[in-house]
Amino acid sequence: MISHETITGILKNYDKENITIGTIGSHSALQILKGARDEGFKTLAICKNNRKFVYERFHSADEIIGVSDYREILDDDFQNKLINKNLILVPHGSLVEYVGAKNIEEKFRVPLSGNRATLEWESDRNKEKKWFKEAGIKMPKEFKSPEEIDRLVIVKFPGARGGRGYFLVDHKVGFFKKIRSRGMEDEDYTIQEYITGTRFYPHYFYSPITGEVELMSMDIRYESNVDGLARTPHWAFKHYAPEPSYTVTGNFPVVIRESLLHKVLEMGDNVVFASKKLFPPGMTGPFCIEAICTDDLKFIAFEVSARIVAGTNLYIEGSPYSQILYNEPMSTGRRIAREIKIAIEKDMLNDVIY
Ligand code: ATP
C-alpha cells in the first residue's frame, strides 16, 4: 500500500488554487464531473476510446483523455501527467473493477478522494464480514460448502460485477448442476442465505471535517431478469421457467417509511465507527450499505460499498433527504467536490485525500 505520507507529499506540491477533479468515464462520472464543475473545479475524464463520445456529447469535462485500456492509468508517465495537472481522482466501482483494488492501492500515486485503504476492505468479502460484525449489523447466514445448503441460497462470485452470474438454489445437487452449466466451478464463490424482503440501498457521506454522517439519498437496483419476471404471466412458467438473474441494469428512487429512518441512520453511524476501529482513520466520504428490510422490520445487510455508488446518479439535482440537509441541489458527486473545497479552505486536505 502506498503510504499516506507519499500521497500527502505529492499533494503538498499541488497548486491549491488550480485543482482538477477527475474520474474514469463510466459508472457515476457524469454526476461527479458536474458536481466538481458546480463547485468551481476544473474537470477531467479518462475514457475508453470507444466511450469518449458519451462524455463529449454531454460536454461533461474540460478535458477528456482517451485510453484503450483503463490500466494505462497505472503507467508512470500517465500518472505524472495527471499529477502535473494537480489532479484529485474520485474512485468509483468501475475504477475498482477495471483497474483492480490492489493496483490502485499499490501502484497508483495520484491522490484519491477518500481513504484508499478502504478499497481493500470493501472488495474483500471476508474483510467486509468482519466490518459488519464490528458494526453490529446483521448479515445473511453463510454456508461454507455446498453440502451444508439447507434453505434457499444465493451463490455469488467475487468483484463488483453488479450481480452478474449469481444464481439461486436450495440443495447441493442443484448447486453443482448450476455452477457447472455456467462454467464457474473454478471461481471463488460465496453461498449466502437468500433474504426475502424489500431492498434499500442508502447512500451516505461521512465528513471527517464535520464529524457527521449525512444520509444523501437511497435507491433500489433494477436487476435483469429478476425484476422482469413479475411481468411474465404465471401460466407461462409451465413451459418456460427462466432462472432469476441479478444483473444490474438501472436504479429506482426510493424513500423509506419515516419510522424506519432511525435504523438507517444508525447503520451508517455504526459502519463509520467500526471502520475507525478496524482501519484508522477509517472510511471517509461516500458509502452505501446494501440492505434488505424483512417483514418484521429488521435490516439485513449484504454489502458495503465504500465509495460513490451508481444509484446516486438518480439524484443529480438532489434527493428528498439532501434537499432537507442542503436546500440546494446536492448530489453525492457534488458533495465530494464540496468536501475538497472546504478542506482546501480549512487546510485539511490531508484528512479527506489519500
Ligand atoms: P456490486 O459489487 O456491484 O454492488 P455485487 O456483484 O457485489 O454487486 P450484490 O450487490 O452482492 O452483487 O448482489 C446483487 C443483487 O443480488 C442485489 O442487488 C440483490 O438483489 C441480490 N442479493 C444479493 N444478496 C442477496 C441476499 N442475501 N438475499 C437476497 N437477495 C440478494
Side-chain angles (χ1 to χ4, degrees):
M1 170 89 72
I2 301 174
S3 71
H4 190 229
E5 289 68 41
T6 306
I7 301 295
T8 54
I10 292 169
L11 208 51
K12 205 168 76 197
N13 295 323
Y14 271 23
D15 173 2
K16 309 292 184 309
E17 306 280 302
N18 229 338
I19 297 276
T20 299
I21 293 186
T23 195
I24 298 290
S26 179
H27 194 267
S28 44
L30 289 172
Q31 181 201 156
I32 292 168
L33 296 166
K34 173 167 167 47
R37 190 173 266 168
D38 287 346
E39 290 300 307
F41 289 100
K42 283 202 282 189
T43 53
L44 177 131
I46 303 160
C47 302
K48 281 284 263 297
N49 288 322
N50 60 356
R51 297 290 167 85
K52 222 173 140 193
F53 80 96
V54 176
Y55 296 86
E56 284 164 353
R57 191 80 65 86
F58 284 100
H59 311 288
S60 58
D62 299 322
E63 191 182 352
I64 301 182
I65 303 179
V67 291
S68 47
D69 186 313
Y70 285 128
R71 285 176 196 237
E72 283 174 37
I73 71 165
L74 297 172
D75 293 348
D76 259 344
D77 287 348
F78 200 98
Q79 294 196 40
N80 290 337
K81 203 160 92 181
L82 298 181
I83 290 170
N84 287 335
K85 291 179 192 293
N86 302 305
L87 189 95
I88 295 174
L89 192 92
V90 179
H92 55 50
S94 298
L95 178 79
V96 177
E97 174 67 9
Y98 299 129
V99 182
K102 272 263 159 308
N103 281 333
I104 300 164
E105 285 165 6
E106 286 167 11
K107 301 184 187 152
F108 193 61
R109 292 173 287 113
V110 177
L112 297 180
S113 68
N115 176 0
R116 77 176 61 209
T118 315
L119 296 178
E120 185 185 325
W121 279 81
E122 65 124 45
S123 54
D124 176 328
R125 275 202 208 283
N126 287 327
K127 290 205 155 128
E128 200 174 48
K129 263 194 300 193
K130 197 167 161 193
W131 190 354
F132 276 139
K133 197 164 171 215
E134 185 66 43
I137 292 175
K138 198 164 182 287
M139 288 195 79
K141 181 179 163 60
E142 254 187 52
F143 297 85
K144 288 203 176 64
S145 83
E147 272 72 24
E148 290 176 14
I149 299 173
D150 64 357
R151 64 192 79 180
L152 189 61
V153 296
I154 182 164
V155 181
K156 304 180 169 188
F157 300 95
R161 311 176 351 156
R164 222 170 35 224
Y166 291 12
F167 62 87
L168 300 192
V169 74
D170 62 0
H171 190 269
K172 64 175 178 186
V173 175
F175 172 89
F176 289 116
K177 211 166 121 194
K178 287 184 184 178
I179 201 157
R180 247 179 254 131
S181 73
R182 283 168 172 72
M184 310 276 258
E185 312 90 300
D186 297 330
E187 295 230 10
D188 267 350
Y189 51 76
T190 303
I191 305 172
Q192 206 175 67
E193 175 185 13
Y194 183 80
I195 309 293
T196 309
T198 51
R199 291 165 298 141
F200 289 95
Y201 299 172
H203 318 135
Y204 307 86
F205 188 94
Y206 171 60
S207 165
I209 300 176
T210 63
E212 274 185 31
V213 181
E214 300 163 23
L215 178 65
M216 299 298 295
S217 46
M218 289 181 207
D219 79 296
I220 304 174
R221 287 181 176 189
Y222 196 26
E223 293 167 342
S224 187
N225 62 13
V226 67
D227 288 317
L229 289 181
R231 293 171 60 89
T232 313
H234 210 250
W235 55 260
F237 291 138
K238 265 192 242 154
H239 307 292
Y240 161 73
E243 276 288 328
S245 55
Y246 296 85
T247 307
V248 177
T249 53
N251 304 82
F252 288 123
V254 67
V255 288
I256 200 159
R257 183 176 158 181
E258 201 154 306
S259 59
L260 291 173
L261 205 46
H262 68 288
K263 297 192 183 186
V264 171
L265 294 174
E266 278 161 12
M267 271 196 301
D269 290 351
N270 292 341
V271 159
V272 171
F273 189 71
S275 78
K276 290 186 182 183
K277 245 175 123 176
L278 292 173
F279 50 99
M283 178 180 53
T284 61
F287 68 101
C288 172
I289 299 172
E290 295 180 27
I292 298 179
C293 185
T294 57
D295 54 4
D296 56 356
L297 304 182
K298 296 216 164 64
F299 284 87
I300 302 182
F302 55 87
E303 174 133 329
V304 56
S305 299
R307 34 134 187 115
I308 187 168
V309 292
T312 59
N313 288 342
L314 288 160
Y315 306 108
I316 288 200
E317 283 298 294
S319 79
Y321 301 110
S322 73
Q323 270 301 319
I324 299 166
L325 286 173
Y326 284 94
N327 219 11
E328 65 179 317
M330 185 58 70
S331 66
T332 294
R334 184 169 183 182
R335 183 66 188 83
I336 294 170
R338 175 74 56 96
E339 187 81 343
I340 294 172
K341 195 162 132 183
I342 298 171
I344 294 171
E345 281 161 16
K346 292 187 181 288
D347 198 15
M348 290 180 76
L349 217 42
N350 293 352
D351 295 293
V352 301
I353 304 292
Y354 175 13

